[in-house]
Amino acid sequence: RHHCANNLTDKSQTTMTSLLSATAAVHSRNGRACLPVHSSEGGGTIPVSFDGQNLSMGHAEQDDGFIDGSGIDHGITQAPYERRFSPYDFNGGTTLAISGPDYAVVAADTRLSTGYQILSRNVSKLHPLTEKCVLGSAGCKTDIDQLRSMLDIKMKVYKHNHRKPMATPSAAQMLGNTLYMKRFFPYYSFNVLAGIDSEGKGAVYSYDAIGSFERTPFSASGSGQSFLIPLMDNVISHKNRLDEKRDLPAEEVVEIVKDAFLTAGERDIYTGDAVEIMIITKEGIKTEIFQLKAD
């Protein structure tokens, strides 16, 4: 019993000695313990107070070499950092429109992305405004949806007032006005408009973000734009070619569109899964789906 009592006494004294040593060590540094901190400015310490029972963080002076991290929730650093919020997100996608003698072809892939994530493989970027006019949009999905809603409302009001659907050139002007109306906080939407005009000819309109537009033989927008435009310059506009330019039938243009999207999908990670193709003629709109790579 005497031997056991001595062992308990020794352990108690050892524990008390350790506690006193820790307390003395903290007090000897004026109530601060040296907790290592790694930052972009080199090493540092966080000030810690110890009253014998509770351990708490304190605040160090700016000039005493300590880094106070108690009020920073994202990590310890003395380097400048930036917090940024963006109301926009780029959801990728590519659109292409080509006009012909009596038709227009508009196409877009169906992949919806953000960063390196694929959110959906089956989202249409084409939106028919009338039976002879289709809008293709790439960019921020939420802004595109809002833009479509605004255009649909204006189209319904026009049809109610005039008892007829809006013509394609008028729809093109309306889209330009709608985009320009939001020029100080633009729709993050990159648009092409394709349809048949009052003479039965194919019409394609190219837009920038704030409504400037022009009628062109073809137009492309979105993440794969830079891959499609040089190809269309050669095949559709026939630039810098010595062979005779001919009018292409709608079926051949559709095959060109398929090849173009296969080409863009090889180099653009935001273009893929499938391409939705709409052929617009005086009879109406015909839709075709062509599968692309899913990786």
Side-chain angles (χ1 to χ4, degrees), residues 13 26-27 46 100 155 160 163 185 194 204 210 215 295:
Q13 290 177 349
V26 173
H27 289 170
I46 299 176
M155 298 294 278
H160 176 79
R163 300 295 189 269
F185 190 11
V204 167
I210 57 172
R215 185 167 176 172
D295 58 356

Side-chain angles (χ1 to χ4, degrees), residues 165-233:
M166 189 180 294
T168 298
S170 300
Q173 183 65 61
M174 181 192 67
L175 174 57
N177 294 346
T178 304
L179 294 172
Y180 187 73
M181 181 182 67
K182 287 275 290 181
R183 63 192 179 278
F184 298 116
F185 190 11
Y187 293 114
Y188 194 33
S189 173
F190 308 102
N191 305 284
V192 297
L193 190 72
I196 302 296
D197 63 14
S198 57
E199 299 177 358
K201 296 180 180 179
V204 167
Y205 297 88
S206 178
Y207 292 81
D208 70 1
I210 57 172
S212 296
F213 70 99
E214 62 175 338
R215 185 167 176 172
T216 58
F218 72 89
S219 180
S221 70
S223 56
Q225 179 188 47
S226 59
F227 302 110
L228 297 185
I229 287 181
L231 179 60
M232 296 300 109
D233 281 335

